[in-house]
């Protein structure tokens, strides 16, 4: 048992220093980046639905569900994203492969414990534009960004009654975000007029927030039950240590620039971002061994949100709302001679008003999701596949529309710990 605990902790610690460019969205420039984590592969395949307690899957969206675990559960997931970016004048494609989460759940009779690491948000963009004045002079601007925010969490769920569970977890947020902008000027004959300029902004983030949850289920008729859940995260502070420097650029090609002279550090204020409060309510109905359909609505107080540096004028925030509907179907989970009958078929739909407003345009995000849960023979463990087809943003007002396709794979591995031996 001790070896298993050490292995789990070692896996978590090995990821603390793991940096990944997990997005290609230009919208990741704003706030803390593109919030990527929308649940485990099982949740994401149902549009993000997390209303159901589960005995062999870890639901990190609602800590109250930890009390439903019957086996020690390891949850690991990754994602491949293909993104098509479209503006008024051009189209580009980008591809990213990322690790999405690593978590462990421990059942202790009526108490369940969960802990893990989530690469929560990512900054990752590489865009450029050109403008020409009336005299033929051309200015080329390049914008680059990378980094993001990670979460380490530890929580518990407790079964108050056979129908009701409560839970809470604490989350420590940390990460580093780097952004760079370069401007170069050229004459009408293509020759560079003067040295270009480069501005680099760096933010190191630290902060703690909490999440509380309720999970309730009750039988309606024979094998049909009703499920409901609530989670609430109060507003929290994210402390940012900011830095900025300027330099002259002799030449710039691709991602490489030649600096002329000294790099000048510019004093900037440290900032505090208000991580928005979040409230989610969900309800579902069905037979957990056969089928379930449910819906959730989430409200986030993002109107109090902001950007890392208080010098962006074309951006504002309003409260965000997300609506989810989804579910799953299992032909026959007791089947012994037909593997197809034991596969879990999942599907869902997600619509979100992100709360981000750029150039007076509200940025919206919607997606259709599909998924499969494929059991591993002779165990309660399973491999989960998820597919997501969606779009975000608009080409209006000089903005970018994203059409994306995500392919996710997750492992839910189960084992028995803390079992008293009858014989030594």
């Amino acid at each position: 048992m001790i070896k298993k605990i050490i292995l789990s902790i070692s896996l978590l610690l090995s990821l603390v220093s793991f940096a990944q460019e997990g997005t290609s969205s230009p919208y990741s420039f704003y706030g803390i980046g593109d919030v990527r984590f929308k649940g485990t592969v099982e949740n994401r395949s149902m549009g993000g639905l997390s209303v159901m307690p589960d005995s062999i899957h870890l639901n990190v969206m609602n800590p109250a569900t930890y009390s439903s675990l019957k086996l020690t559960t390891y949850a690991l997931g990754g994602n491949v994203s293909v993104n098509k970016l479209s503006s008024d004048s051009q189209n580009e494609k980008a591809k990213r492969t990322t690790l999405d989460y690593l978590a462990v759940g421990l059942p202790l009779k009526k108490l369940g414990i969960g802990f893990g690491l989530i690469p929560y948000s990512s900054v990752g963009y590489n865009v450029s534009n050109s403008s020409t004045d009336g005299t033929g002079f051309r200015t080329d601007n390049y914008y680059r960004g990378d980094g993001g925010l990670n979460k380490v969490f530890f929580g518990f769920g407790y079964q108050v009654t056979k129908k009701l569970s409560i839970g809470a977890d604490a989350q420590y947020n940390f990460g580093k975000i780097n952004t760079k902008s370069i401007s170069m000027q050229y004459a009408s004959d293509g020759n560079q007029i003067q040295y270009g300029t480069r501005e680099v902004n760096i933010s190191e983030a630290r902060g703690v927030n909490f999440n509380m949850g309720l999970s309730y289920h009750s039988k309606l008729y024979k094998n049909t039950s009703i499920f409901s859940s609530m989670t609430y995260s109060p507003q929290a502070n994210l402390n940012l240590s900011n830095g900025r420097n300027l330099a002259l650029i002799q030449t710039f090609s691709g991602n490489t620039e030649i600096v002329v002279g000294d790099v000048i550090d510019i004093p900037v204020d440290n900032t505090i971002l208000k991580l928005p409060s979040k409230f989610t309510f969900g309800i579902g109905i069905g037979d957990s061994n056969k089928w379930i359909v449910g819906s959730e609505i989430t409200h986030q107080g993002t109107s109090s949100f902001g950007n890392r540096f208080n010098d962006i004028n074309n951006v504002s925030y309003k409260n965000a709302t997300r609506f989810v509907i989804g579910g799953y179907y299992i032909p026959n989970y007791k089947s012994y001679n037909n593997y197809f009958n034991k596969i879990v078929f999942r599907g869902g739909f997600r619509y979100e008003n992100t709360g981000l407003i750029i150039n007076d345009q509200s940025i919206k995000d919607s997606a259709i999701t599909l998924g499969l849960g494929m059991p591993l023979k002779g165990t309660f463990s399973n491999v989960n596949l998820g597919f997501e087809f969606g779009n975000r943003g608009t080409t209006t007002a000089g903005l970018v529309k994203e059409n994306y396709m995500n392919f996710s794979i997750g492992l839910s591995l189960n084992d028995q710990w803390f079992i008293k031996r009858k014989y030594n």
Side-chain angles (χ1 to χ4, degrees), residues 64-83:
T65 61
Y66 299 161
S67 65
S68 299
L69 291 173
K70 301 303 181 184
L71 297 171
T72 297
T73 302
Y74 305 86
L76 173 69
N79 181 72
V80 177
S81 176
V82 179
N83 199 356

Side-chain angles (χ1 to χ4, degrees), residues 58-69 104-116 152-160 164-171 209-215 230-232:
L58 187 62
N59 178 5
V60 300
M61 307 290 280
N62 186 349
T65 61
Y66 299 161
S67 65
S68 299
L69 291 173
V104 177
L106 306 176
L108 301 170
K109 295 185 178 180
K110 291 186 176 182
L111 180 69
I113 293 174
F115 59 93
V152 174
F153 70 92
F154 181 88
F156 74 93
Y158 181 75
Q159 189 182 75
V160 179
L164 176 66
S165 294
I166 61 173
D169 61 29
Q171 304 172 359
N209 68 305
F210 299 92
N211 184 34
M212 297 163 283
L214 294 173
S215 178
M230 288 189 296
T231 60
Y232 176 69

Side-chain angles (χ1 to χ4, degrees), residues 286-301:
D287 176 358
S288 59
N289 293 323
K290 185 71 175 181
W291 64 274
I292 283 181
V293 62
S295 180
E296 284 182 350
I297 187 168
T298 299
H299 175 84
Q300 281 188 286

Side-chain angles (χ1 to χ4, degrees), residues 35 68 74 131 146 227 249 270 288 327 349:
V35 177
S68 299
Y74 305 86
S131 60
D146 60 69
F227 304 86
I249 303 298
N270 294 333
S288 59
F349 172 77

Side-chain angles (χ1 to χ4, degrees), residues 221-239:
Y221 177 73
K222 291 185 178 180
N223 295 326
T224 303
S225 298
I226 187 170
F227 304 86
S228 62
S229 68
M230 288 189 296
T231 60
Y232 176 69
S233 299
Q235 186 181 84
N237 290 337
L238 186 66
N239 300 296

